[in-house]
Amino acid sequence: MVIPYLIAAVVIIGIFAFLLFVPNKRNSEISEKKPARSKKSQAQIIRQANRHLAKNPNDAAALKALGDLYFTSNLWEKAFPIYSQLSKISKTDIDVDSYKAFLRTGICALELDKMDEAMISLSLAYQKNPHDFDSNYFMGYALVKAKQYDKAVPCLKKALIVRPDATGVNLLLGQSYYNSHHYHDSLPCFKKALIEDPANKDALYSMADAMTQEGHGDKAIKVFMHLRADPVYGPRSCLQAGIYHLSLGEFDNAITDLMIGLKHENVDDDIKVEIRYKLAQAYFAKNQLSNGLIQLKEIRFINSNYKDVNALIARYQELSQNSNLQLYLTAGTGDFVALCRKVIQAYYKDSQLKFMDINMGQVFTDFVLEVDSPKFSDSEIFRFFRTTGSTGELFIRDFHGHLHDTKADRGICVTAGNFTEEARRYIEGRPLDLIEKNQLTTLLKQVSV
């Protein structure tokens, strides 16, 4: 008696299993066919909408159906004229959501780089709903693209208030602060943007540069060193690292940074010339004049009027041919003092000199001495300027005042540049002499170092 019941139970379970299995299989098949049906329905929407629009180009329902289809498919070229038309008819047709029409017209225009149309449409959408996330976000995004960074800030801040966890807003806000030179305000935005996307190198580089601008180069250098090999941000990072190491007097490290920057391909000319300019400075600081001149001439080939390149080329070409003049301008304190003593001795060949004092200043160096020659004996002060520029009357007046205070008989000013006309006129009738570059060069040729 038990067996028939068992058989009946097995049969009933089998029937239930079959009934459960069949519907699940049908749902799976329907799900797999959904994309095909979706494509078919899209084609139907387009055909039906176009039939309606052929009869009435302002058919709001047809325009909305087409617009929504194209917009959600990111077909901006097709969606843009649809929403432009909806924006126009929204003035008279109450069934059209004017805010949505203006907003989507602006978004499509942004994607198509139609900035004038984007700004107009998004401004109208913002006026319609100034507290909505989308109106603030896309208005801010448009202003960033238009490089109106100060105006973008309040829109993006409002967008974050409405939706604090929205991704991408912190990056735009950070860029807005950064490009409007509010570096301190940009830093927390970039930090949040990097939490959202740690691989975002634009945020990483901009944050490091902002830290540099805020005086935190010691922290920023780690980022620049990390980015040196990056094909996009590498050249600029190499430049920043080189500038940092130059400021510390670490010339070898600076040269390494800048040479890596030059090895990158497709470097913008403005970055390339700045890298070469800083590289020339590093070479000159190491007295490698020929290497520095190579960089300056490369710059001149790209941009013949870049900064003071032509003047620097003339200066360092001359220095490379005159080792004593080079020593005069670039030597350390000890070598410079020794050279100046020899210049004074060359100036007074047939005289007995007694050096009484040497005063090292930031702008000049004074040598106090007594001169005993066959024709005269007096106390004199030689003032040496280490510059190739023009020395003006104010410096000569100051020297004359110092001469008077110390009761010296005579003063001689020496420069590797020249003196202004006003300075030359000032010494007339006063116990002052001026030695400019040409005479100094002649004296330096008589000196053995």
Side-chain angles (χ1 to χ4, degrees):
M1 294 295 289
V2 175
I3 292 174
Y5 288 115
L6 288 174
I7 294 172
V10 170
V11 171
I12 292 170
I13 291 170
I15 292 171
F16 274 112
F18 176 78
L19 292 174
L20 288 170
F21 172 75
V22 171
N24 285 339
K25 186 177 180 181
R26 285 184 62 195
N27 286 338
S28 177
E29 289 171 351
I30 291 169
S31 176
E32 289 173 4
K33 291 179 182 178
K34 272 185 179 180
R37 176 175 285 185
S38 177
K39 289 180 181 178
K40 184 177 179 182
S41 64
Q42 287 180 15
Q44 288 175 339
I45 290 170
I46 293 170
R47 283 198 301 270
Q48 186 176 3
N50 284 330
R51 281 199 301 270
H52 286 287
L53 291 172
K55 298 176 182 178
N56 177 14
N58 293 328
D59 189 313
L63 289 170
K64 284 191 284 186
L66 272 183
D68 188 61
L69 177 62
Y70 292 145
F71 187 87
T72 53
S73 301
N74 297 338
L75 299 173
W76 313 116
E77 285 279 5
K78 294 183 177 181
F80 177 69
I82 299 294
Y83 283 106
S84 294
Q85 184 65 13
L86 282 169
S87 298
K88 293 176 184 176
I89 66 174
S90 69
K91 298 174 183 178
T92 56
D93 192 333
I94 60 173
D95 291 331
V96 177
D97 184 344
S98 59
Y99 168 67
K100 183 177 180 179
F102 287 128
L103 179 67
R104 289 195 169 185
T105 302
I107 294 171
C108 292
L110 269 179
E111 296 293 338
L112 297 171
D113 283 327
K114 300 177 183 288
M115 291 307 299
D116 290 340
E117 293 91 335
M119 296 296 288
I120 292 170
S121 297
L122 290 171
S123 295
L124 291 169
Y126 184 86
Q127 291 172 20
K128 292 282 183 182
N129 194 345
H131 303 295
D132 185 59
F133 171 83
D134 287 333
S135 64
N136 282 282
Y137 172 76
F138 286 105
M139 189 72 241
Y141 179 38
L143 289 165
V144 170
K145 286 191 73 173
K147 298 183 179 181
Q148 298 181 32
Y149 302 110
D150 283 326
K151 294 181 179 179
V153 167
C155 293
L156 296 168
K157 287 175 71 175
K158 283 177 68 176
L160 278 175
I161 291 171
V162 176
R163 203 178 296 173
D165 297 329
T167 59
V169 186
N170 280 300
L171 177 60
L172 286 174
L173 184 56
Q175 290 172 334
S176 299
Y177 279 131
Y178 172 78
N179 287 296
S180 57
H181 308 298
H182 296 112
Y183 301 112
H184 180 76
D185 293 324
S186 73
L187 290 173
C189 299
F190 285 133
K191 289 177 183 177
K192 291 176 183 177
L194 286 168
I195 292 172
E196 295 171 10
D197 181 11
N200 191 318
K201 292 180 181 179
D202 181 71
L204 190 61
Y205 174 84
S206 298
M207 184 179 71
D209 190 42
M211 286 192 292
T212 301
Q213 299 293 337
E214 286 293 296
H216 304 299
D218 55 328
K219 297 178 181 178
I221 188 62
K222 297 176 184 178
V223 178
F224 293 136
M225 296 291 283
H226 171 71
L227 290 174
R228 284 192 311 179
D230 186 80
V232 177
Y233 296 95
R236 283 183 285 170
S237 296
C238 290
L239 174 59
Q240 294 288 359
I243 291 171
Y244 176 77
H245 286 128
L246 270 174
S247 70
L248 297 180
E250 299 176 1
F251 304 119
D252 288 329
N253 288 336
I255 290 170
T256 299
D257 297 327
L258 298 165
M259 289 298 293
I260 293 173
L262 289 178
K263 290 178 182 178
H264 280 279
E265 298 179 357
N266 303 318
V267 182
D268 291 340
D269 281 348
D270 59 338
I271 299 296
K272 188 181 295 183
V273 295
E274 186 65 15
I275 288 175
R276 290 193 182 278
Y277 190 80
K278 295 298 180 184
L279 186 56
Q281 289 180 339
Y283 280 133
F284 292 144
K286 288 175 61 64
N287 288 325
Q288 297 180 17
L289 302 192
S290 59
N291 288 336
L293 282 167
I294 288 171
Q295 300 306 321
L296 293 179
K297 290 175 181 178
E298 288 288 342
I299 293 171
R300 187 167 64 180
F301 180 76
I302 298 171
N303 183 352
S304 60
N305 296 316
Y306 186 77
K307 292 185 177 179
D308 57 346
V309 163
N310 290 319
L312 289 174
I313 288 174
R315 175 189 179 187
Y316 284 103
Q317 278 181 333
E318 182 179 18
L319 289 179
S320 66
Q321 297 165 5
N322 189 330
S323 58
N324 283 352
L325 182 59
Q326 177 183 341
L327 188 65
Y328 181 90
L329 292 170
T330 63
T333 301
D335 290 337
F336 176 70
V337 167
L339 180 63
C340 290
R341 288 172 66 102
K342 291 188 176 184
V343 167
I344 296 171
Q345 289 167 350
Y347 187 74
Y348 285 121
K349 290 182 181 178
D350 301 323
S351 302
Q352 295 293 322
L353 306 179
K354 184 179 181 180
F355 290 90
M356 307 299 293
D357 196 12
I358 299 173
N359 297 312
M360 302 291 296
Q362 291 184 343
V363 179
F364 52 78
T365 300
D366 284 349
F367 290 76
V368 182
L369 64 150
E370 291 180 354
V371 180
D372 187 9
S373 75
K375 296 181 179 180
F376 66 90
S377 295
D378 61 16
S379 60
E380 298 186 5
I381 299 178
F382 273 73
R383 175 164 287 187
F384 288 87
F385 291 93
R386 298 182 78 176
T387 177
T388 57
S390 294
T391 302
E393 178 188 350
L394 288 176
F395 287 100
I396 307 306
R397 281 181 178 274
D398 176 75
F399 183 44
H400 183 251
H402 178 63
L403 203 68
H404 183 269
D405 293 340
T406 57
K407 295 181 172 55
D409 297 310
R410 189 161 171 257
I412 297 96
C413 273
V414 184
T415 178
N418 56 60
F419 294 98
T420 63
E421 287 297 327
E422 293 80 3
R424 293 192 189 99
R425 284 196 295 269
Y426 180 79
I427 69 167
E428 294 175 3
R430 293 182 171 91
L432 296 171
D433 285 330
L434 303 179
I435 296 177
E436 296 183 297
K437 178 183 175 182
N438 290 337
Q439 189 178 358
L440 173 62
T441 303
T442 301
L443 291 169
L444 286 169
K445 289 179 180 178
Q446 302 172 27
V447 170
S448 175
V449 179

